[in-house]
Amino acid sequence: QAELVESGGGLVQPGGSLTLSCAASGVDFSANTMAWYRQFPGSQRALVAAAGKYGSASYADSVKGRFIISRDNAKNTLFLYMSDLQTADTVVYYCNIKPFTEAFWGQGTRVTVSS
């Protein structure tokens, strides 16, 4: 049974940084593109960043230049380094494969950017 557990969220001031982690089990981690998503109230989950199985990275325009996605295939762990955080980044972040599988959604980790 697949399980994706996100962690690392919290409260940070505008301009600050955080690193999110996603520990995967029951997923063929190294064979899949892994991604971070976020969901604003009233909207569907949106792709934030994706890391291909060979290391390629892609980003939503809104986070390009501020966020860095990385992965450790040996540890089945996905990361998202977020810098220059803005209040608009306040939301719950989730990891999943790309394209996502509905059954893989975890609880997410909440990021709050506030002074």
Side-chain angles (χ1 to χ4, degrees):
Q1 183 174 351
E3 185 176 27
L4 300 173
V5 180
E6 302 91 347
S7 63
L11 174 64
V12 63
Q13 293 186 340
S17 61
L18 280 175
T19 298
L20 307 183
S21 299
C22 170
S25 60
V27 176
D28 193 351
F29 187 89
S30 61
N32 280 283
T33 294
M34 298 299 299
W36 287 97
Y37 301 80
R38 62 188 183 183
Q39 184 173 24
F40 292 98
S43 300
Q44 293 184 333
R45 286 184 178 99
L47 183 67
V48 175
K53 57 185 179 181
Y54 298 120
S56 61
S58 59
Y59 300 92
D61 287 344
S62 58
V63 306
K64 204 171 293 184
R66 300 188 298 123
F67 291 10
I68 299 173
I69 190 171
S70 62
R71 60 192 294 164
D72 185 337
N73 288 341
K75 296 183 178 180
N76 287 359
T77 304
L78 183 71
F79 302 98
L80 186 68
Y81 172 71
M82 306 184 294
S83 64
D84 190 22
L85 282 162
Q86 304 165 7
T87 55
D89 297 315
T90 295
V91 74
V92 179
Y93 289 74
Y94 304 86
C95 66
N96 205 315
I97 62 174
K98 178 180 182 291
F100 65 79
T101 293
E102 195 66 40
F104 289 178
W105 292 119
Q107 294 301 307
T109 186
R110 176 170 292 278
V111 172
T112 302
V113 185
S114 175
S115 56

